Structures are given as structure tokens and as C-alpha cells.
Amino acid sequence: MSPTAQFEFILLLLVAVVCLEALARWLRLPPAAALILGGGALTFIPGMPALSLDPELVLLLFLPPLLMASAYFTPWREFRAQLGGILALAVGAVAFTTLAVGLVVRWAVPELPWAACFALGAVVSPPDAVAAKAVLQRVRLPRRTMMLLEGESLLNDAAGLVLFRFAVAAALTGTFSLWDATLSFGVLAVGGIVAGLAVGAAGVRLLGLFRSVELGIITTLLMPWAAYILAEELHASGVIATVVTGMVLGWYQHEIFTAGGRRTGTAVWEIMTHLLEALVFVLIGLSLRGVLLRLGGAEDALQNLGGPVLAVIVAVILSRFVFVFGARLLVGAQDRLRGRPSLGMDLRTSAVIGWAGMRGVVTLAIALSVPEEMAGRDLILVSAFAVILVTVLVQGTTLGWVIRLLGAGAHAEERGIHLTHHEAEAKVASVQLAAVEALARAPDGTVRHPRLLEQYGYRARAAARFSEASEELQGARDEHFGVVLAAVAAGRAEVLRLHRAGRLHDEVLHALEHDLDLQELMAGRLRGGEAG
């Protein structure tokens, strides 16, 4: 395709993303499922060009910003507290799945070399951060479970990539060293952490110096690629470097960003990541045509590889359950031997984690990077695509139903050392009132700002009362902020009427509209998230 045709093709994909997401919302389907199916359908439109994806470009373009966005909002304390479980899933489950799939493939295709079998296992072993985020943001899970799944999706790509590289090397050279593989993973991980810390620290320093919101946002957009490319150039893990950079930036965001910069930057990142996630799933669907053309069509692919591919899918799903429940039993046994209450996952949580193993862009990119001369390449490509389809379309679509069926969703907000949202609001309102009281009086004791005292005093009393009886007062609160929203709507209508009548300059219009937008966002959030 010419450059103009390529640009028009990208525009067509963006139109397809809008239409497919709108269709998914109308049909109440997970957007990821609709996008993959829609992308697959696009490939059969007459005149649609065959898509050839460069795996290195796919990883470089999509993975760093999406990993950064997830890591940015990852709570560091919870991540550190769950690090053992996260590493067990991110490294242990990936290695176990690689082994299990390799054994199954060898059984299904005895003539395939062992190294190629394990290469296939490494391709389909890591659950994908993009697919996981697309599904998990639509369900409600306890914090611990959500942290385990999100943390796993951030780190497991590094383990899968290392295993794949060594399996391919073994397939092409006939040699493999477990010690070298383990040492390589350690070097990649440590190097990735160092590179991520360096880029994160430099980014935080730069952002602290900038006074421009625009320059700050551009800097944050460059940071994930800077971390990923730097680490890869140093032969370290770009995945881990990007995750570390995102966590560093997320930890310091509250000190280095102004309120306006944070709101604007968050909006920019939300749009960009949403678009990249959607394009990933559409591209996965579009890649179906290239795979089928290589194999002579869907009928030949099904006839020649259907059995082994089905065996791979079953092995991928079951091996995760075996590992998760096996780890649960092992932790429980260790706790009993030590004479302490079990701290492991319950059966419902284990079942949800076992079912939440969606694959995506990393699996596709790794499969596409398999050398042409490697034995079993066709089987690897078809298996990778089939695993992505089944895990996203079946597991991703039914995860919410499984959570509800098992009763494993988030219940009352976890207590302990953490305050509830309403308790925190009451404490903030109390501190704000104290600050206003200290500044609202003149040295002689006279009140200079009575309206501020009244306003913040009322807010502190209302927040304290609501934190103690939120369920009983929720109806009255909703009604109160419903009136506020009605007032905002009336003010907005008047502003627009004055502007349309030529009595209000655009500059004044934008200033008033900004104030009304903030009022609407606040009232909508306090009423229950209706605005926005």
C-alpha cells in the first residue's frame, strides 16, 4: 500500500473501532470480544488488504504505554504486600503452563521436536496485560484478588519472553541450559528495574521543573517508550523497566502535578490507552486472514491442525487451574504445619483467578516472531490465535458471570487500617474547616470571611454525619445533589442562550462553562457517578 492508502486504512480502523464499541455497548458484550470478531469480519470484505504485522513494532508500539498506564495506578503498598503471590503467578504459572503445553503438544504431535513444543508453550503461557485490563475494569473483585491479577499481568510478559527466546534457541541450535535461562532472567529483571528507576527518577525531576501542562503531558507520553527502549538497548527487560517507571511516576504524581495538569493528563492518557487497546483487538482479528492464507484456508487449517490446537487450548486453561489450586493447597499445608491460620486464597478466589487467564497482543506478537525455518511454525501461529480467541471471547465474556455465580465479587469495603471513602471525606473536610477558621479572623478576633466559615462548617458537619450513617442518608444526599445538577443545567442553558443571542463573548462562555463543568462533575460524583 502507498503511504496515502496506509493512512486511509488507519482511519478505516478507527471508524471500525467506534462502530464496534457502540455495537458492543448496545448488545452488552465485552468490547474486546466485539473488536476481535469485528476485526476478523473486516478481513473478508472484498478489497480489504491482507495485514502483515511486524512483531517487534507491535510490541514497541502498544506494550509500553499500556503497561505504563496500568502501573501508574497500581497501589505500591498493596503490590508489595502481594508480591509473593504476584511472582508465583507471573513466573511460576507461566513456567508451569509452558511445561504443561509442551508435554501435551509432544503427545499430540510426536514428530515435533521438544524445543518447538516448549516454544509453543511459552507463546501461549503469559496472560496479557491489555486483555486483562479490558476485562477486569468491567468487574468488581476484592482488592487482594484484583491486585494479584493486575500485578501478574504487569510482570508475566517478561517471563514468557525469556522462556520463548531460550526455547527458540534450543530448537534452532539443539542446546539448552536451565542455568543460563535462570541467570538470563535474573539479569533481565535486575537490569529492567535499574533502567525503570533511572527513567522514572529523571522523568519526575523534569516534571517538577516544568510549569507548562502541555510539556508535562508530552514528557509523560515519552516516558514509557524511553524506559522500554533504554532497557532493551541494555539487553534488560523492557517490560519490567516500563512497569517500574510507571510505578515511580504514580507514586510522585501527587507532588509534581498541578490539579489542572493531573486532570488534563489523565484525560489524554485515558483516550490514548482506550484507543490503543481497541486497535490491539481489531488487529488481532485482522491478523486472522494472514494466518488462514498461509495455511490454505480455514478448512485446511481445521482439518490438519484442529486436533493439536484443541489440545493446546485445553492444556492452557486446565494448567492454570492446576497451578492455582496446587499453590493454594501448598500454602494451606505450610500454614497448618506452622500452626497458624491459613492465609491462602479461598476456593472462590482460586476459581476466579484460574478463569481469568486471557491472552492477547503479547501472545500474537511472539507467535509472529517465530523464525520461518523453525519446525512447527504453522501450529504455533494457529494455536496462538485460537488461544487468544477462546480466552478473550469465552473466559473474558463469562468472567463477570463466574464471579456472580461463585459470589466472589467485592462486598463491603475492606476495613482494617484503611478508612472508607466517606470517613476520609469527613477527615479532609474537618482539616479544611480548621484551615479556614485559622485564616478567617482578623488579629482582633473579628470574622473577615463569614461565608467561608459557614460553607466549610456546613461541609464538615455534613461529611461527619454522612460518614456515620451513610446508608440512611444516601437518599437525602442523592436528592440534594440532584437539585444541584438541575441548577447547573439551568445555568448552562442560560449561558448558551446569552451566547447564541450575541450577548456573551466566547472567552466568557468558556470560563463560565469550565466552572459549570466542575460543579457538574462534583455533584454527579457525590450523587453516585452520574456525571461525566
Side-chain angles (χ1 to χ4, degrees), residues 23-262:
L23 181 63
R25 293 174 188 271
W26 181 56
L27 297 176
R28 297 192 176 183
L29 289 174
L35 291 166
I36 289 180
L37 292 175
L42 287 175
T43 63
F44 297 100
I45 296 177
M48 181 66 65
L51 185 66
S52 178
L53 297 177
D54 182 334
E56 294 295 331
L57 178 60
V58 169
L59 287 178
L60 179 61
L61 177 61
F62 291 102
L63 200 55
L66 295 176
L67 284 173
M68 174 93 157
S70 297
Y72 181 82
F73 290 105
T74 297
W76 165 244
R77 288 192 178 90
E78 292 183 25
F79 181 87
R80 184 177 60 185
Q82 303 296 335
L83 186 59
I86 290 171
L87 291 177
L89 289 171
V91 179
V94 168
F96 184 80
T97 301
T98 300
L99 176 63
V101 172
L103 293 173
V104 169
V105 172
R106 178 70 175 189
W107 166 79
V109 191
E111 65 273 15
L112 196 63
W114 277 108
C117 297
F118 290 126
L120 197 164
V123 167
V124 298
S125 61
D128 185 64
V130 181
K133 181 182 177 183
V135 173
L136 292 177
Q137 65 187 1
R138 298 173 57 87
V139 300
R140 282 181 54 80
L141 286 169
R143 286 175 179 161
R144 182 171 184 265
T145 307
M146 190 70 80
M147 188 71 262
L148 285 172
L149 291 172
E150 290 180 348
E152 175 200 13
S153 70
L154 290 175
L155 300 179
N156 57 17
D157 294 336
L161 286 167
V162 170
L163 289 173
F164 171 74
R165 288 169 182 169
F166 274 90
V168 170
L172 298 178
T173 64
T175 60
F176 174 75
S177 169
L178 179 61
W179 168 252
D180 287 344
T182 305
L183 181 62
S184 176
F185 182 76
V187 171
L188 286 170
V190 173
I193 292 172
V194 173
L197 289 173
V199 174
V204 168
R205 179 66 176 170
L206 281 175
L207 291 168
L209 296 175
F210 290 152
R211 293 293 179 266
S212 167
V213 171
E214 292 79 9
L215 288 178
I217 294 174
I218 293 172
T219 301
T220 64
L221 293 176
L222 291 174
M223 286 176 66
W225 283 292
Y228 189 91
I229 293 172
L230 174 63
E232 292 294 320
E233 289 294 322
L234 297 175
H235 303 289
S237 172
V239 170
I240 293 178
T242 307
V243 170
V244 171
T245 297
M247 286 187 169
V248 170
L249 185 60
W251 181 262
Y252 287 101
Q253 58 157 311
H254 314 287
E255 290 85 6
I256 59 178
F257 293 134
T258 62
R262 185 162 42 251

Side-chain angles (χ1 to χ4, degrees), residues 45 366 431 466:
I45 296 177
I366 297 176
V431 171
F466 193 79

